[in-house]
Amino acid sequence: MNITVKVDGTSYTDEVEPRTLLVYYLRETLGKTGTVVGCDTSNCGACTVLLDGRSVKSCNVLAVQADGHEVTTIEGLADGETLTPVQEAFRECHALQCGFCTPGMIMQATDLLATNPSPTEDEVRVGMEGNLCRCTGYHNIVKAVLQASGQPASSGGEQA
Amino acid sequence: MSDAATEQGRDRARVDAPLKVSGLAPYAYEHELEDPLFLVPVLSTVATGAITGIDAEAARAVPGVALVLTHENAPRLALPTIPTLAVLRKPRVRYRGEIVAAVVADSLETARYAASLVRVDYAAPPSGPDVRLDPEDPGVRPLRRVMGVYPGQHTVGDVDGELAGAAYRVEGHYATPVNHHNPIEPHSMVALWHADLGPLATVQPRSTRLTVWDSNQGVVAPQGVLAGAFGLLPTQVEVISPYVGGSFGTKGMPHPHVMVTAMAARKLPGRAVKVALTRPQMFAGTGYRPETRQRVALAADEQGRLRAVDHEVFAPVSRVIPWVDPTAGPSLSMYASPTRRVSYRAQHLDIGPGTFMRAPGEYTGMFALETAMDELAREMGMDPVELRLRNEPEADPESGRPWSSRHVATCLTEGARIFGLEQQQQPGGRREGEWLLGMGVASASFPQMGMGPSLARITFTGGRYVVSMQASDIGTGAWTVLAQIAAQALDVPQDQVEARIGTTDAPYAIIAGGSTGTFGWGSAVVEAAQAFRAEHGSDPAEGATTRARTRMPQGVRGVRRMAFGAHFAEVAVSEVSGEVRVRRLYGHFDGGRIMNPRTARSQLVGGMTMGLSGALFEESYRDPRFGHVVNADLAGYHVAAHADVVDIEVGWVGEPDPWMGATGAKGIGEVGIVGVPAAIGNAIFDATGLRLRELPFTPVKVLEAWESSGPAPAATVR
């Protein structure tokens, strides 16, 4: 099938198979390897991208479903060398170790802050729940999202 | 200058962060290569048996398929030293999920589809497979040694006599499940066999014949394994692994897909062959933390001084690789006691082999030992910190060697103060609505092994110092910390130093394992920096180069080196659902000198979170017929997510250990996970009066324990 998708500001028209997942279209056809595959079952969120501004797990979206839509990947966030506040906060707050979950985390955080510009710590933890990190223990990720929202990151959160 | 001040000076952001937040760090699979092929393995669907036939005709007929690799057409290789890597050699299966074929095609979708068409027929063996864990099985055998260095059987004094006549005695049976590492990056690899080199005789010893982009804990392992198997010199195999998306032990040694992908590349010279295992394939064939069944008995005198430590371990062993975790390790070294017994038994099964996973042995054993210590403290009505302090050993109980340094007491007392440890005399008295609240403590330790020397090279070029070695950053921060160590030793600002790691085109280094990287590699870097200054002065010429190796202090074999810590947990347990929430975790650590507080803190918090995850969620279930894992993806195998982790903090003693080499640092990658499940379990007891001795502490186990202990506190307290 023929699809036209705007990815990171550039319009692409490609012939794709109906079975092709959006994540493999991005990676293999467009070379956007910043979006990675972690689990195939939509649990880890490493492949998160924005579809018309809202986060989706691109391993669970068919490429043909993106036809006529706009996709933003981790590679489309920064303006040249200038990182977005979320990217900058992840760097500063040490919100990553191995970095494999980081693109998905940043895309999810970008969506979260677009819909809720001043989330509480609890809202960050719940809003980011669909993105798994195995290295950092999440603490610095939460801090980074709060910092990117312009709020001071306190330690400790709301309880059970 | 105080060490605290210099520690602040060492607080640096990761040098690899800008690339990683931009999606530009190339992991193994993300290296862009022209016209790649995609490999999908076919896994066995039986546990044991002979392969009687492979029908690959339908797969080969799919347009785009370049190769179907089976034992019939695989290149003949030298027998690998790692038995799991002997794949596609013979028509036989040793465990369910073993690779029996592989399909290579021009797209991943085609390869996956064609792989689904490969038909493998098996002849069942006369009996078996043996896949059921059973401590009473007649085939269960005592072990003489564990991991090559730990005694399988160890007895000092009259343990039974002390247990029989003790003022206080506790005994419990503990169980830990199979855990899988589950780094977020799957095992991935790209192999490219260089086609244009001409006949073998004309090839130079240093001309690369095989280039591999791989996800590993050290490039030396795949290099050695592949060179050996293909009859190449190590210098003819190039391994490139600049960024690794997490590991926790599973990428320490090469797994079968590495061999299979290289074989496919050998048959398709000039084409890059890529593989990324799926999560179920990772569960099947890349190792795991084996399950344990343990019995711990402790005897103590009136004052709470231990008279006996008795620790029995039973574990399954794969018939392919006999890996057993040194689970009783903590019972050898944690507490003073005049009598001590450690004993391991193992059952050989037709299952895929386990391997080291973050704090192998120490994690499972400390759960049992530190739960038992809490039971003893409760039995005696003694403060659990005080009980531990009374049993601090002056020297290593097993070897008699003095400690290189041991600050367990500080970790316990400082940790208890900072955390505000307050337990109830009578469990079950603190509640908020349906939630019963409690606190618990447990100690942590992890041995500091010597894994042999590493080499580091420092070169001055373009006005900067380049530190190169084969070291690997699996997320730990090695890119950052090695440059920091070099900058400090060279006495230059850090931005004048850059590390070059994760490639075979660098001096040999040990793999990133056993919490040895920072002090082992770091020592080599310091030695190289000092030698560099001695040879080239403070104004070196362009290209000036010096190489040096890890050096440990004279007499290091005469001391016992371990990292230590203490964990404190506050939990809330729902009397309605049985759910356990961990509200707070605090860990206080003895990790020697902390080289970079930012990366160190993250390592420790990450370790504690994995401990929390193991305490509450993680469990791989084996199929009783085939022995493979049935919940083999992240939908079925639960790991902690953001909302499971509320408040985790760490602190440390920060005192350099002179026996750890030039850095004075102890390894901290593993000690953070050790003891966390015990601290949480002990807090559950404080909250509810329920003693849970099997991980993970799921709602079902909590509710069942309540049921079997009579009316829930809800009924009695209200």
Side-chain angles (χ1 to χ4, degrees), chain B residues 298-387:
Chain B
L298 302 173
D301 67 15
E302 295 285 354
Q303 283 73 46
R305 285 186 295 259
L306 289 172
R307 299 296 305 171
V309 176
D310 189 12
H311 197 157
E312 256 182 63
V313 179
F314 167 71
V317 180
S318 163
R319 289 203 163 110
V320 183
I321 294 179
W323 172 264
V324 177
D325 279 343
T327 295
S331 287
L332 293 174
S333 57
M334 204 58 209
Y335 297 114
S337 169
T339 76
R340 188 181 312 274
R341 179 168 58 204
V342 156
S343 118
Y344 290 84
R345 295 183 311 140
Q347 181 188 12
H348 288 253
L349 296 174
D350 300 312
I351 55 177
T355 190
F356 27 74
M357 175 168 165
R358 202 173 206 167
E362 213 79 9
Y363 172 77
T364 47
M366 198 62 107
F367 165 62
L369 179 64
E370 285 297 276
T371 307
M373 284 297 279
D374 197 68
E375 295 182 51
L376 181 61
R378 289 285 175 180
E379 180 78 17
M380 301 186 64
M382 182 178 277
D383 176 80
V385 169
E386 178 59 28
L387 175 67

